[in-house]
Amino acid sequence: MQEILDKYWEAVSKNYMFYKKETIKSAVDDFDKIKKENPDFDPDKLAREYAKEHICIDGSEEYKIAYRYDCFKNEIHSLVVGSHNIMDATFRWNPDIDCCAVVQRLIQNKDWNGLNNLIYQLLRIKLIPNNLSNGYDHSFYFHEILLAYLCGERTVFEKINTKKNGLGNNGYRPYVLCNNILIAKHYKDDSKLLTSLEKAEAYAKTKAAKWHIALCNFFVGLGKKDFERINKSLADFCKLSKRLHHDYPLEKELAVMALGLYMIAVEWLGEEEIKLIKMPEERRFCKEYVLWRMENKNPERKLFFRYPEEYGILNVMLETDLPDMILYEKTEYGHTKRYEDHRTRFLLFVEALEKNLRNM
C-alpha cells in the first residue's frame, strides 16, 4: 500500500510545483506585521502601483510586501483550480497510479475504514469549487451526493441541496429527477416528494438509456416501498454502471453509485424492511463493506492520503469547509433556468482557504 501511495505522490510532485509551507507563511506573516503597524495598509492598491511602476530595487518595503501578498492571493486562486484538476486527474489517468489497484488491495485486506476514507477523499476532491461554470444547477452534484451517503459524510447534502434552493430543473435529466426525490424526502415535503416520484416514474417509461431507467425505478420503488422493483432496478443499475468508469473511475472496480443507493435505502427503511432488499450478485458490489457501513453509521472520516508537510496546502484545501450552494437565474429565449454561481462559491472557498493557511 505504501508503495502505491509513494508513486501517487511522486506522480504529482514530478509534474507540478506548489507553494511550499515556508513561502506561504512568510507572505502572510509579512502582511500581518505591516497591517498591524499601519491599519490603513491597502495591499491591493499598493500591489497595483508596484506592478504598474515596475519598482524592483528602489521601491519601498511596503510596496514589495503588498506585491508579494497580492501574488500570494492570486496563487491561491490558481492553486485551487490547478490542484483540483491535478488531484482529480492523478486519480483518473496518471499511469503511475492506479486507483483501482488501491481499491483491490483495501478489499483484499478487508480494510473497510481505509476504503471509506478513500471514497471520502475522492468526494472532497470532486467538491473543490472550480472557477469554471458547469452550466447546471445543484443537480449537477448528484454523483457526489451518492458518494456522501456511501461514506457517511452527511454535511455535504445540505451544503449542495440547500433548503432555500429547493428542487432542481437544470441538469442531466435522471440526476435532476432523482436528486429532487432526495431533496423532498430530506426536507420532509410530502407534496414535492409525490410530484417528484411521479415525474421519475413517467421518465422510467420512456426510451431513455437503460441505466437511467434503472436509476429512476430504484427511487420510485423506494418511495412506494415496492421491493420487487427496488431489487430488480438495483441489480440492473449495478450491472450497467460499470460502463460509467470513463466518467467515474472507481466504477470499474467498485460499484460506488449502486452502493450509495443501497445506503440511501438503509436510511429510508426500517430494519425489517431493509432485509427485503437483495444485495446485487455482482463482484463490484462489496457486500462486506456494506455490512461494515451498516454497523458504522457515522464512521470516522479522514483523508486516505496526506501530502507531505511541505506541501500541506493540499491537505488544508481538502479539509476546508465548503460554501453553501448558490444559484442565480438567467432567462434565454423566453426560458428561465438556474445555474450554479460558480464564481461566488469559488471566491468564498478561496477566502476560507486563505484563513486556514494562516494557521498552518
Side-chain angles (χ1 to χ4, degrees):
M1 178 61 66
Q2 188 58 46
E3 180 182 353
I4 294 176
L5 295 177
D6 289 343
K7 284 186 176 182
Y8 177 64
W9 169 244
E10 181 184 354
V12 175
S13 60
K14 182 168 57 178
N15 297 310
Y16 303 95
M17 280 299 295
F18 301 102
Y19 255 53
K20 290 192 175 182
K21 179 178 178 179
E22 297 75 22
T23 312
I24 296 167
K25 189 67 174 172
S26 175
V28 173
D29 285 349
D30 284 346
F31 169 76
D32 288 343
K33 181 179 178 181
I34 197 169
K35 183 71 174 177
K36 185 176 181 180
E37 295 172 353
N38 181 8
D40 297 327
F41 176 55
D42 185 345
D44 294 321
K45 181 180 178 181
L46 286 173
R48 287 192 294 272
E49 293 177 4
Y50 180 76
K52 182 178 180 181
E53 298 178 18
H54 301 286
I55 300 173
C56 297
I57 299 176
D58 299 330
S60 72
E61 192 63 25
E62 285 190 1
Y63 271 19
K64 292 179 181 179
I65 291 174
Y67 185 62
R68 283 179 60 206
Y69 184 70
D70 193 65
C71 289
F72 161 67
K73 291 201 299 182
N74 289 335
E75 186 68 18
I76 292 179
H77 281 237
S78 301
L79 189 61
V80 172
V81 175
S83 296
H84 175 277
N85 296 335
I86 291 163
M87 289 187 282
D88 189 41
T90 304
F91 264 116
R92 285 170 177 257
W93 313 119
N94 198 300
D96 292 330
I97 177 67
D98 181 359
C99 196
C100 287
V102 178
V103 172
Q104 290 174 355
R105 189 78 62 87
L106 290 168
I107 292 176
Q108 288 172 4
N109 295 337
K110 300 185 184 299
D111 184 357
W112 310 126
N113 193 59
L115 181 60
N116 203 66
N117 287 336
L118 174 62
I119 294 168
Y120 169 71
Q121 182 153 354
L122 288 172
L123 170 65
R124 295 295 307 191
I125 291 172
K126 298 287 287 182
L127 287 175
I128 293 175
N130 204 313
N131 201 23
L132 299 174
S133 173
N134 58 48
Y136 299 114
D137 60 23
H138 47 313
S139 308
F140 176 80
Y141 294 95
F142 176 73
H143 177 257
E144 286 68 38
I145 293 298
L146 292 185
L147 288 182
Y149 269 101
L150 179 54
C151 72
E153 180 48 273
R154 302 312 311 279
T155 61
V156 166
F157 188 93
E158 291 192 1
K159 284 189 171 292
I160 299 300
N161 294 322
T162 66
K163 188 173 184 178
K164 176 183 176 182
N165 288 330
L167 304 182
N169 64 358
N170 177 26
Y172 200 39
R173 190 59 179 164
Y175 286 6
V176 170
L177 295 170
C178 295
N179 197 50
N180 283 347
I181 292 172
L182 284 175
I183 292 171
K185 178 70 173 179
H186 181 83
Y187 292 111
K188 300 178 181 180
D189 190 323
D190 292 337
S191 176
K192 289 181 179 178
L193 178 59
L194 180 60
T195 302
S196 298
L197 286 169
E198 289 174 349
K199 289 182 178 179
E201 187 167 25
Y203 182 80
K205 295 177 181 178
T206 67
K207 295 182 180 180
K210 290 182 179 179
W211 73 271
H212 291 187
I213 293 173
L215 182 62
C216 289
N217 269 327
F218 174 83
F219 280 99
V220 172
L222 202 55
K224 294 185 174 184
K225 293 190 177 183
D226 181 343
F227 295 99
E228 183 178 350
R229 179 182 287 198
I230 293 173
N231 289 329
K232 183 180 185 309
S233 57
L234 183 60
D236 289 346
F237 181 80
C238 187
K239 181 179 179 180
L240 294 166
S241 63
K242 187 175 182 179
R243 304 175 186 178
L244 306 178
H245 69 87
H246 292 295
D247 292 321
Y248 310 118
L250 277 190
E251 286 293 343
K252 185 176 182 180
E253 192 61 35
L254 188 70
V256 288
M257 294 181 73
L259 288 164
L261 293 177
Y262 191 90
M263 291 311 301
I264 289 173
V266 169
E267 181 165 315
W268 283 25
L269 303 175
E271 290 185 13
E272 294 303 315
E273 291 175 325
I274 198 65
K275 293 177 182 178
L276 299 175
I277 298 183
K278 299 176 183 177
M279 294 189 189
E281 296 298 328
E282 164 79 28
R283 178 188 64 83
R284 294 164 44 254
F285 193 92
C286 187
K287 296 180 181 179
E288 289 182 273
Y289 170 55
V290 170
L291 293 174
W292 177 86
R293 272 289 287 115
M294 291 173 70
E295 292 177 359
N296 297 270
K297 298 189 183 300
N298 186 28
E300 181 182 358
R301 294 169 298 280
K302 60 182 181 180
L303 298 181
F304 176 73
F305 174 77
R306 296 189 68 83
Y307 291 91
E309 185 179 355
E310 62 268 30
Y311 297 96
I313 185 173
L314 299 179
N315 299 322
V316 178
M317 190 181 306
L318 290 174
E319 293 171 337
T320 296
D321 286 341
L322 297 167
D324 289 349
M325 177 59 59
I326 302 172
L327 302 177
Y328 71 92
E329 288 188 351
K330 185 178 181 181
T331 302
E332 290 183 332
Y333 308 108
H335 297 284
T336 300
K337 289 185 178 181
R338 293 189 300 170
Y339 300 83
E340 177 187 356
D341 189 346
H342 62 283
R343 179 63 178 170
T344 300
R345 290 192 73 235
F346 174 77
L347 292 175
L348 287 172
F349 181 79
V350 169
E351 182 180 337
L353 174 60
E354 185 179 341
K355 290 179 180 178
N356 288 343
L357 290 176
R358 295 175 180 276
N359 299 319
M360 281 184 63

